[in-house]
Amino acid sequence: MSDIKNLKDKEYKFMKWYSSLMVTLGFRLSGYTIEREEMKNLNYKKYLGPDWEAEFDKNCTIVGNHSSYMDDFLVLGWQLPSFVGKKNMADIPFIGLIYKILNIIVVDRVGKNAEASKKMAFQKIAERQEEMEADKVRNSLCIFPEGA
């Protein structure tokens, strides 16, 4: 099984559609509804300078507060991003497969290699952001700082 970077365009679009469908069905069967709100009127020129223009058709880095296990699924159904995740989660059979497919950046938070792992994760995040800006990767990056 290859990771998301190596998928053909049709395969990626199907995977994104299928992911959205499964997440929506899962929430509906659990009694939840998902409401999406388009945010086309964002204006960050005050913070990012007068030349800033919103680009909604490109990849982005999503940073959010992790409030429940549902957060991952909500973002997965909306965007199909790559995440930053805990290394020990990659050892769980089904979760490990998802880590590989979505090209998750892993962080070892504890142990003798924790500091080196965190530095490497920061490096990988910076590299991924550069790849996104150069349109070399097709999926966004999602970071929940409290969770990883």
Side-chain angles (χ1 to χ4, degrees), residues 1 21 38 53 57 69 81 89 99 114-115 129-130:
M1 173 138 308
L21 176 69
E38 292 292 323
E53 290 294 327
D57 58 338
Y69 286 110
M89 295 291 287
Y99 265 49
E115 278 308 310
Q129 287 177 320
E130 288 174 8

Side-chain angles (χ1 to χ4, degrees), residues 97-114:
L97 179 64
I98 293 171
Y99 265 49
K100 182 177 177 356
I101 292 170
L102 291 177
N103 200 20
I104 304 284
I105 296 173
V106 294
V107 180
D108 192 2
R109 297 188 315 166
V110 293
K112 60 183 177 183
N113 296 331

Side-chain angles (χ1 to χ4, degrees), residues 3 6-7 24 27 39 47 65 93 101 107 113 123 129 147:
D3 65 26
N6 299 322
L7 292 175
T24 302
F27 274 100
M39 299 178 71
Y47 309 104
N65 291 328
I101 292 170
V107 180
N113 296 331
Q123 216 171 1
Q129 287 177 320

Side-chain angles (χ1 to χ4, degrees), residues 43-82:
N43 188 350
Y44 289 106
K45 290 184 181 196
K46 175 180 173 183
Y47 309 104
L48 300 173
D51 297 334
W52 179 82
E53 290 294 327
E55 297 180 49
F56 294 101
D57 58 338
K58 291 193 169 198
N59 292 323
C60 60
T61 301
I62 304 160
V63 181
N65 291 328
H66 214 343
S67 57
S68 75
Y69 286 110
M70 303 294 229
D71 301 337
D72 297 331
F73 295 107
L74 281 170
V75 175
L76 197 59
W78 164 60
Q79 201 38 252
L80 195 63
S82 180

Side-chain angles (χ1 to χ4, degrees), residues 116-143:
S117 177
K118 290 174 187 176
K119 286 180 183 176
M120 187 174 295
F122 283 125
Q123 216 171 1
K124 287 182 181 178
I125 291 168
E127 288 170 10
R128 183 71 59 84
Q129 287 177 320
E130 288 174 8
E131 289 173 346
M132 286 188 301
E133 287 178 21
D135 286 332
K136 291 182 180 177
V137 292
R138 67 172 84 212
N139 60 330
S140 296
L141 178 64
C142 183
I143 305 169

Side-chain angles (χ1 to χ4, degrees), residues 13-40:
K13 286 178 182 174
F14 174 77
M15 193 168 171
K16 194 170 180 176
W17 171 82
Y18 185 75
S19 171
S20 179
L21 176 69
M22 290 294 104
V23 168
T24 302
L25 282 175
F27 274 100
R28 290 264 166 92
L29 292 173
S30 300
Y32 294 98
T33 57
I34 300 172
E35 293 181 20
R36 292 187 175 132
E37 184 179 325
E38 292 292 323
M39 299 178 71
K40 299 283 184 182

